[in-house]
């Protein structure tokens, strides 16, 4: 069962998507074909500098609890929690057949021109856990409060009909309180931290999305 990351904000963070593609090059014509494969995953690195003793100990204890790549926790792109779009209402999956790079929603306010804008994040729960996606094209809602989003990465597990979709969040109170996140694991089985006088610590946490 994934746990929340400690409510300690990093000094800096790198966050991105690692796509999964294969490239085939013809030895005769040098033509190239690229095939997109399932398995794109979010990944990143969070740096925590000049931590006081209490925060350092809490974060170190969390890393010990994760036991290398075994543990699971929630994490997201802390720099883009607030959406640019104007979507309001309770967004829900409009059909159980949402798949690929398309997600149908209803339950939104009607007739919004820019309900979702490129760069907005959405997240939802599936039978395999929480998925995090980014909206890649602007879209509005119709008179019934419906919209079909174009998102990346592709949906791995189709959400059930009427599943609630998170369309905005905040980091008030720390990282662990945001729902715009997905399930992560540490990238390595080793954890380390540095200490400098007067007893302040720096810790680097590298993570990658974990899914079944």
């Amino acid at each position: 069962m994934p746990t929340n990351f400690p409510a300690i904000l990093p000094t800096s963070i790198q966050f991105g998507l690692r796509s999964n593609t294969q490239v085939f090059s013809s030895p005769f014509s040098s033509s190239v074909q690229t095939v997109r494969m399932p398995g794109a995953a979010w990944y990143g690195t969070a740096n925590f500098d000049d931590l006081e003793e209490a925060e350092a100990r809490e974060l170190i204890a969390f890393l010990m609890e994760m036991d290398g790549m075994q543990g699971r926790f929630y994490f997201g792109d802390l720099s883009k929690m607030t959406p640019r779009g104007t979507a309001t209402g309770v967004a829900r999956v409009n059909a159980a057949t949402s798949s690929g790079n398309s997600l149908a929603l209803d339950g939104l306010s009607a007739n919004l021109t820019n309900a979702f804008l490129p760069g907005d994040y959405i997240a939802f729960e599936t039978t395999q856990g929480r998925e995090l996606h980014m909206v890649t094209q602007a879209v509005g809602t119709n008179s019934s409060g419906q919209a079909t989003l174009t998102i990346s990465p592709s949906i791995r597990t189709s959400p059930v009909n009427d599943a609630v979709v998170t369309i905005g969040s905040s980091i008030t109170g720390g990282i662990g309180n945001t729902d715009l996140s997905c399930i992560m694991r540490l990238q390595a089985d080793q954890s380390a931290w540095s200490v400098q006088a007067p007893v302040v610590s720096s810790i680097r946490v590298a993570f990658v999305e974990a899914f079944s």
Side-chain angles (χ1 to χ4, degrees), residues 13-16 18 42-46 184 187 205-209:
I13 183 172
Q14 178 192 44
F15 193 87
R18 181 179 297 158
W42 298 106
Y43 76 102
T45 302
M184 301 288 192
Q187 285 198 35
V205 180
F207 49 85
V208 65
E209 190 174 3

Side-chain angles (χ1 to χ4, degrees), residues 43-180:
Y43 76 102
T45 302
N47 296 301
F48 299 83
D49 299 318
D50 300 331
L51 293 171
E52 297 296 337
E53 182 179 4
E55 290 184 327
R57 289 196 176 193
E58 181 180 359
L59 191 51
I60 290 169
F62 170 80
L63 295 176
M64 297 300 97
E65 183 182 16
M66 289 298 98
D67 194 15
M69 294 184 287
Q70 173 65 29
R72 300 291 186 267
F73 57 93
Y74 292 112
F75 207 99
D77 183 359
L78 304 183
S79 68
K80 297 176 178 63
M81 296 288 99
T82 303
R84 296 170 59 228
T86 59
T88 55
V90 180
R92 295 183 181 274
V93 175
N94 193 21
T97 56
S98 292
S99 60
N101 294 92
S102 181
L103 180 67
L105 302 181
D106 59 14
L108 298 162
S109 299
N111 300 317
L112 295 175
T113 302
N114 290 314
F116 296 89
L117 289 173
D120 290 349
Y121 280 107
I122 57 105
F124 51 81
E125 300 288 345
T126 75
T127 56
Q128 299 300 313
R130 185 181 302 167
E131 292 193 16
L132 177 69
H133 299 270
M134 179 181 285
V135 177
T136 58
Q137 296 183 18
V139 65
T141 58
N142 62 19
S143 59
S144 299
Q146 299 170 331
T148 299
L149 307 183
T150 302
I151 58 175
S152 184
S154 299
I155 296 171
R156 287 190 295 271
T157 302
S158 294
V160 299
N161 190 37
D162 283 335
V164 175
V165 176
T166 300
I167 60 176
S169 188
S170 70
I171 55 173
T172 302
I175 299 168
N177 294 339
T178 177
D179 293 327
L180 282 179

